[in-house]
Amino acid sequence: VPCVSGDLPKPTNVAFISINMKNILQWNPPEGLQGMEVSYTVQYFIYGQKKWLNKSECRNISRTYCDLSAETSDYEHQYYAKVKAMWGTNCSKWAETGRFYPFLETQIGPPEVALTTDEKSISIVLTAPKKWKKNPEESSISMQQIYSNLKYNVSIYNTKSNRTWSQCVTNHTLVFSWLEPGTLYCVLVESFVPGPPRLTHPSERQCVSTLEDQTTALEVK
Amino acid sequence: DGVAVLPAPQNLSVQSTNMKHVLTWSPVTVPEEIVHYSVEYQGEYESLYTSHIWIPSIWCSPTQRPECDITEDITATVSYSLRVRATLGSLTSAWSTLKHRFNQNSTILTPPGMEITMDGFHLLIKLEDLGPHFEFFVSYWRREPGAKEHIKVVRPGVLPVYLETVEPGAAYCVKARTFVKAIGRHSAFSPTECVKVQGEALPL
Amino acid sequence: QEFQFGPCRVEGVVLQKLWQAFWAMKDIVQAQDNIMSVRLLRKEVLQNVSETESCHLIRALLRFYVNTVFKNYHDKAVEFGILKPFSTLANNFFVLVSKLQASQEKMFSTRKSARRRFLLFYQAFKQLDREAAVTKAFGEMDILLSWMEKFYQL
């Protein structure tokens, strides 16, 4: 049943939230209608093409987000999206995003960080974050394949000396040797891509202890 | 335009060190009055394509002091025209324009301040923060005959940067210089600093 | 830090500065472009450009931007209060054009295919109303900068 357009205020703060090319359209309920039984419908547009397209899974929905990752997966294209609110027989005008360019605007998630230690060293193996994919069976695409200039800022905190230092690397394995035995070190890694300003996502801080000094351990026995 | 009874500022000049550019001029003094100044600029593009348009300086339109930090106005390696005028209430002076256009490639580059520290057997360097224009070429070597010199390019950051894992009992020396991408020039090297690593030298 | 468009090398332009300048006005500028069904810098213009072709193409595009797009967008930049980022982009594009001019003698035979790509862009531009076309081209600088970034050696 067609609704009377314009009687409702529009949804607000309509924007894409994008991490590793997982592109979610998010919005806030119209002013004054929070908590009411409002439903929403979403459409999207590929810049340079001809018409607005429907997203069937986001027609008459009550949630205030819609996953458009599949529809916006060609990251070299640019997109618009819009959403309108419906309540009873009334509906709002469309609320539209600005032009969304996944290649420039997606946030780069942190790499996976694997730490192994021995007496005096910590080996760090980084695995580049993965691009969003539709089905788990699909083969993964690393964000490194998309951003060849992807770098990592590795910072290491020595809990005994209370000192932190950093290193910017492009390779995926690094070893900090000659560390102090029996000492807790904490590592934090951030992905970084030169280009327009992007929000960053540091990894979870991981702490690991170097083994006790074996020579003193033997003497004690 | 106001009648130009206010004298125009004189002796305009730019002092530029480490890509920080400051335009100065002789103050216009009117007893018991506060004179304000406005600074405007044109890049080469504006001079050629839109010569009637001048862009107000981000920090000095207006200002009370006879100087202006124009660092954030100069955003390309082209020559810039700069002009200043004085205002006092409704009175406005004529514009006074810098005699020679300014180009950031003339900036004076000084050797960077640096602090060499150790964390256990890790040689670290903390470099003076000179802003986003700067990279640092850090040269370091073990102090022994025939030692190989290593070069590492370090970008500005908050934390000390890891240089090398060092051996107990050995001595290591470090020096650094800046490189400015926008103008393709580097500074002289800083004085060399050496540190001795704690502990017994390893048996050969 | 320099651009290496095939045989043409350009120093003295910090791409990060251009990104910051465009990002400061992206929403304002792109909001003025109401013709969503037309993209000037389409994939056919910029995709799979060979190294040797890239110098011809970037020269033609940057010259067009300096002589036509920036020139005709200037009053809007004043109107929208974005003169400062506009000036940053205009002066840096001006540097690129003058330095690419200097490397002309290294041009190779790929001029024709680069010319065809530029004409794809230019014909789409000409089909639009002049003011709309200038606004659209100015708003597509993120596409241009993204392509230029592939030739930027850190």
Side-chain angles (χ1 to χ4, degrees):
Chain A
V1 171
C3 58
V4 179
S5 171
D7 279 2
L8 283 187
K10 292 194 279 194
T12 59
N13 301 324
V14 186
F16 279 97
I17 304 296
S18 175
I19 301 174
N20 295 337
M21 304 289 185
K22 180 181 175 69
N23 306 324
I24 308 286
L25 183 69
Q26 257 181 229
W27 60 88
N28 295 122
E31 288 297 330
L33 290 181
Q34 286 83 353
M36 314 288 276
E37 277 193 20
V38 178
S39 63
Y40 303 96
T41 289
V42 169
Q43 289 187 335
Y44 67 96
F45 192 100
I46 301 171
Y47 178 57
Q49 296 190 9
K50 294 308 173 201
K51 57 188 171 72
W52 286 94
L53 303 170
N54 291 314
K55 164 85 175 180
S56 50
E57 297 88 340
C58 296
R59 183 198 294 270
N60 293 330
I61 55 174
S62 56
R63 61 180 186 273
T64 57
Y65 63 87
C66 170
D67 188 339
L68 288 172
S69 304
E71 291 72 19
T72 56
S73 60
D74 182 342
Y75 49 80
E76 292 206 333
H77 264 304
Q78 299 178 308
Y79 304 90
Y80 294 86
K82 61 183 182 183
V83 57
K84 71 177 178 183
M86 289 153 299
W87 186 46
T89 60
N90 299 312
C91 58
S92 74
K93 289 195 166 77
W94 292 101
E96 219 172 279
T97 66
R99 193 180 301 170
F100 170 61
Y101 194 171
F103 180 70
L104 293 182
E105 298 181 51
T106 198
Q107 295 166 47
I108 317 290
E112 281 169 35
V113 181
L115 304 180
T116 52
T117 73
D118 68 17
E119 201 180 302
K120 288 187 176 178
S121 69
I122 294 177
S123 303
I124 302 178
V125 176
L126 305 175
T127 306
K130 299 280 186 295
K131 177 182 185 286
W132 169 87
K133 59 184 180 182
K134 197 169 185 176
N135 312 312
E137 301 79 43
E138 280 176 27
S139 57
S140 286
I141 296 174
S142 152
M143 293 294 274
Q144 180 99 48
Q145 291 166 260
I146 299 170
Y147 301 96
S148 56
N149 51 8
L150 176 63
K151 292 184 181 30
Y152 304 108
N153 203 4
V154 180
S155 58
I156 183 162
Y157 168 61
N158 178 337
T159 59
K160 193 178 281 183
S161 69
N162 195 31
R163 305 218 42 201
T164 304
W165 30 281
S166 71
Q167 191 171 357
C168 188
V169 297
T170 51
N171 45 350
H172 287 85
T173 54
L174 56 160
V175 177
F176 288 111
S177 54
W178 284 86
L179 297 174
E180 293 173 55
T183 303
L184 187 68
Y185 287 88
C186 296
V187 173
L188 189 133
V189 186
E190 206 172 41
S191 304
F192 168 74
V193 169
R198 291 177 208 254
L199 293 173
T200 56
H201 274 262
S203 65
E204 296 289 326
R205 194 167 93 140
Q206 287 186 52
C207 300
V208 67
S209 197
T210 49
L211 305 182
E212 288 301 333
D213 188 341
Q214 296 312 309
T215 48
T216 47
L218 286 175
E219 278 154 19
V220 165
K221 273 191 182 135
Chain B
D1 256 350
V3 173
V5 294
L6 207 56
Q10 298 302 313
N11 306 317
L12 273 65
S13 75
V14 174
Q15 285 76 47
S16 175
T17 304
N18 289 334
M19 296 297 272
K20 186 174 171 56
H21 322 306
V22 179
L23 173 68
T24 61
W25 56 87
S26 308
V28 172
T29 52
V30 177
E32 287 119 45
E33 294 287 356
I34 297 177
V35 173
H36 289 83
Y37 306 96
S38 292
V39 175
E40 293 184 344
Y41 66 91
Q42 274 189 342
E44 249 172 277
Y45 176 83
E46 284 81 17
S47 309
L48 289 170
Y49 290 87
T50 57
S51 53
H52 59 293
I53 295 275
W54 288 77
I55 303 171
S57 165
I58 188 167
W59 299 118
C60 314
S61 287
T63 180
Q64 287 183 25
R65 298 175 59 220
E67 63 175 54
C68 175
D69 183 340
I70 56 170
T71 303
E72 288 183 47
D73 299 318
I74 309 295
T75 54
T77 305
V78 294
S79 64
Y80 280 80
S81 293
L82 293 146
R83 70 180 188 179
V84 187
R85 74 178 172 186
T87 52
L88 175 58
S90 63
L91 298 182
T92 303
S93 79
W95 286 104
S96 194
T97 303
L98 186 67
K99 193 181 300 180
H100 305 296
R101 297 168 69 97
F102 170 72
N103 190 317
Q104 63 182 2
N105 60 18
S106 64
T107 193
I108 296 165
L109 295 178
T110 62
M114 66 177 189
E115 184 193 352
I116 307 300
T117 57
M118 305 283 296
D119 183 38
F121 296 108
H122 300 92
L123 186 60
L124 309 178
I125 185 168
K126 181 89 171 78
L127 287 150
E128 179 184 6
D129 183 3
L130 293 170
H133 274 295
F134 286 79
E135 283 183 340
F136 299 87
F137 284 58
V138 179
S139 171
Y140 57 94
W141 61 96
R142 180 170 169 152
R143 193 167 62 188
E144 61 184 14
K148 185 169 179 272
E149 188 174 345
H150 304 274
I151 303 271
K152 191 172 262 196
V153 176
V154 174
R155 290 205 174 79
V158 176
L159 294 171
V161 174
Y162 163 80
L163 277 185
E164 182 70 274
T165 300
V166 294
E167 286 183 22
Y172 291 80
C173 296
V174 184
K175 61 181 179 180
R177 65 177 174 180
T178 64
F179 178 71
V180 179
K181 322 163 241 194
I183 60 176
R185 280 180 42 219
H186 51 69
S187 72
F189 269 108
S190 62
T192 297
E193 268 189 50
C194 297
V195 290
K196 183 86 160 48
V197 185
Q198 55 167 349
E200 295 287 318
L202 293 178
L204 290 178
Chain C
Q1 253 91 12
E2 62 187 27
F3 284 105
Q4 189 78 53
F5 297 104
C8 305
R9 201 168 73 92
V10 180
E11 280 183 330
V13 172
V14 181
L15 188 49
Q16 202 59 29
K17 285 273 179 187
L18 310 193
W19 277 124
Q20 284 161 6
F22 183 77
W23 227 249
M25 53 183 180
K26 166 184 167 0
D27 293 338
I28 296 172
V29 167
Q30 291 180 345
Q32 307 306 316
D33 177 4
N34 306 316
I35 309 171
M36 293 156 58
S37 58
V38 172
R39 170 172 160 166
L40 301 178
L41 289 169
R42 310 198 300 269
K43 287 195 173 183
E44 301 86 290
V45 177
L46 295 177
Q47 221 166 35
N48 308 322
V49 175
S50 70
E51 287 276 322
T52 48
E53 219 181 331
S54 63
C55 188
H56 297 298
L57 183 54
I58 194 63
R59 265 187 67 237
L61 285 170
L62 290 180
R63 253 201 330 230
F64 184 81
Y65 265 81
V66 168
N67 295 324
T68 304
V69 178
F70 280 103
K71 198 166 158 195
N72 289 283
Y73 194 81
H74 192 273
D75 294 343
K76 278 200 183 293
V78 176
E79 178 193 335
F80 297 141
I82 52 172
L83 207 44
K84 185 168 166 21
F86 175 93
S87 175
T88 298
L89 285 160
N91 278 286
N92 278 285
F93 272 41
F94 178 80
V95 169
L96 283 164
V97 167
S98 14
K99 291 194 173 186
L100 282 166
Q101 203 76 21
S103 52
Q104 182 159 351
E105 70 289 341
K106 295 176 190 152
M107 295 311 222
F108 294 103
S109 62
T110 48
R111 188 191 306 273
K112 212 181 296 179
S113 57
R115 180 96 196 123
R116 214 173 20 252
R117 288 177 183 275
F118 175 75
L119 288 177
L120 280 176
F121 163 81
Y122 184 62
Q123 279 146 11
F125 182 92
K126 294 295 280 181
Q127 277 162 20
L128 298 176
D129 151 77
R130 179 72 166 192
E131 187 177 340
V134 165
T135 295
K136 181 172 282 297
F138 198 79
E140 290 191 0
M141 250 191 291
D142 51 1
I143 301 174
L144 182 58
L145 291 175
S146 295
W147 182 72
M148 289 166 66
E149 178 130 47
K150 294 173 183 171
F151 300 89
Y152 195 64
Q153 323 279 323
L154 275 176

